[in-house]
Amino acid sequence: MENKVLAVAAGYEITEKDLNAIISRYPQEQRGALQSEEKKKQLVEQLISFELMNKFGKEIQLDKTQEYKDAMENISKEVITSMAINKVLSDVTITDEEVKKYYEDNKEAFGQPATVSARHILVETEEEANKAREEILSGKISFGDAAMKYSTCPSNQQGGNLGEFSKGMMVPEFEEAAFTSEIGKVTEPVKTQFGYHLVLVDAKNEASIKSFEEVKDSVLDNLIKENQHKKYDQILKELEAKYGVERK
């Protein structure tokens, strides 16, 4: 593939490969915005500025200074250290059998709790709750319209919809009513610290375990990270014994 020259600065050719290398350093979600001709021109100008300043720095012999030598030594140390860590961690591998075994041994960790999807109407008194319930049961008004008419909860604008929730997310009295009542049946008034509720359960989902295929990738990632930490700690202990460390 042709590596098109985009500019020449201080005798150095700036190519499409250089431009793409700059773009690749940005986060994935930002790269699309850098594909316009205007943005590319701005990046090329940055590369030109870089080459001009680099040329100037060499002309005034900054590369001969002790500051430069110290900086290069630090950079070299960082690069070698990073490469050494990558070398150590790259040796860590996890087999499909290990992933499967971890899943089978820890199935309970991949459990999905039982949930219900419900709506409610919240009022201050039991009398108000019974009045709203009678209107709903008689067919005078729908539950959603009754919620908008009577409920003091902000969910009234969504017809009392609370969405899906599991145990432990609601106050005990409300939770008990939601999980024990029949789907589609308006409960008797339920008293809580907030007032009186009418509850209508739209759906129930039994507790379940996520399938192996659903969690395989996340299990693999976690096992790799866990084993990498172990390998890293092990290597550090070996290196400490080999090279010596004196903590003061």
Side-chain angles (χ1 to χ4, degrees):
M1 183 181 294
E2 182 185 1
N3 188 20
K4 184 179 178 182
V5 176
L6 305 176
V8 179
Y12 180 86
E13 290 184 344
I14 297 170
T15 67
E16 284 188 339
K17 184 178 180 180
D18 296 322
L19 176 61
N20 292 332
I22 290 292
I23 293 175
S24 69
R25 295 174 191 169
Y26 283 83
Q28 185 67 44
E29 63 272 14
Q30 295 181 21
R31 294 176 194 172
L34 300 173
Q35 296 302 319
S36 69
E37 288 304 311
E38 184 61 30
K39 289 295 182 182
K40 286 182 177 180
K41 286 180 181 179
Q42 292 177 11
L43 291 176
V44 169
E45 289 302 318
Q46 290 180 24
L47 288 168
I48 289 172
S49 299
F50 178 85
E51 293 302 331
L52 292 174
M53 292 304 295
N54 180 261
K55 183 72 171 180
F56 173 67
K58 289 179 179 178
E59 181 181 319
I60 61 176
Q61 298 188 328
L62 291 178
D63 53 340
K64 301 294 193 298
T65 63
Q66 188 60 43
E67 182 181 0
Y68 171 81
K69 293 175 182 178
D70 291 342
M72 290 305 295
E73 184 178 348
N74 288 333
I75 291 171
S76 175
K77 183 183 291 187
E78 290 177 9
V79 171
I80 291 174
T81 302
S82 179
M83 291 177 67
I85 292 173
N86 290 336
K87 171 63 178 173
V88 169
L89 299 186
S90 67
D91 293 338
V92 175
T93 57
I94 302 294
T95 65
D96 289 343
E97 290 73 21
E98 288 175 305
V99 176
K100 182 69 173 179
K101 184 179 186 305
Y102 183 89
Y103 171 77
E104 294 295 339
D105 291 346
N106 299 275
K107 271 191 175 180
E108 68 281 357
F110 306 105
Q112 297 265 66
T115 62
V116 298
S117 297
R119 290 176 280 165
H120 85 136
I121 295 170
L122 173 63
V123 292
E124 291 184 1
T125 67
E126 187 174 7
E127 289 74 22
E128 290 176 293
N130 281 322
K131 178 183 178 182
R133 186 172 187 272
E134 288 173 8
E135 289 187 16
I136 295 167
L137 295 180
S138 67
K140 290 183 179 180
I141 192 171
S142 69
F143 192 95
D145 288 341
M148 294 186 71
K149 180 179 179 181
Y150 293 110
S151 184
T152 59
C153 177
S155 66
N156 56 14
Q157 295 304 305
Q158 290 77 45
N161 185 21
L162 296 173
E164 185 177 330
F165 55 89
S166 58
K167 289 183 178 180
M169 297 177 68
M170 301 293 179
V171 292
E173 304 89 345
F174 186 93
E175 182 180 282
E176 175 70 15
F179 277 89
T180 58
S181 66
E182 296 178 26
I183 294 174
K185 183 177 180 180
V186 181
T187 65
E188 297 285 343
V190 178
K191 184 180 181 181
T192 73
Q193 65 196 71
F194 302 108
Y196 289 84
H197 306 255
L198 297 178
V199 185
L200 177 63
V201 174
D202 294 319
K204 292 186 177 184
N205 299 298
E206 297 296 327
S208 62
I209 300 291
K210 288 184 178 180
S211 71
F212 176 66
E213 290 303 319
E214 287 180 288
V215 301
K216 180 180 177 181
D217 290 342
S218 63
V219 171
L220 176 60
D221 288 342
N222 288 337
L223 285 178
I224 288 176
K225 290 175 182 177
E226 181 181 319
N227 283 16
Q228 284 179 335
H229 282 304
K230 290 179 180 178
K231 182 67 177 291
Y232 185 72
D233 289 340
Q234 174 194 335
I235 291 292
L236 283 182
K237 289 178 181 178
E238 293 175 3
L239 295 177
E240 183 171 334
K242 181 177 181 179
Y243 301 129
V245 173
E246 184 179 358
R247 295 180 175 87
K248 297 183 179 180

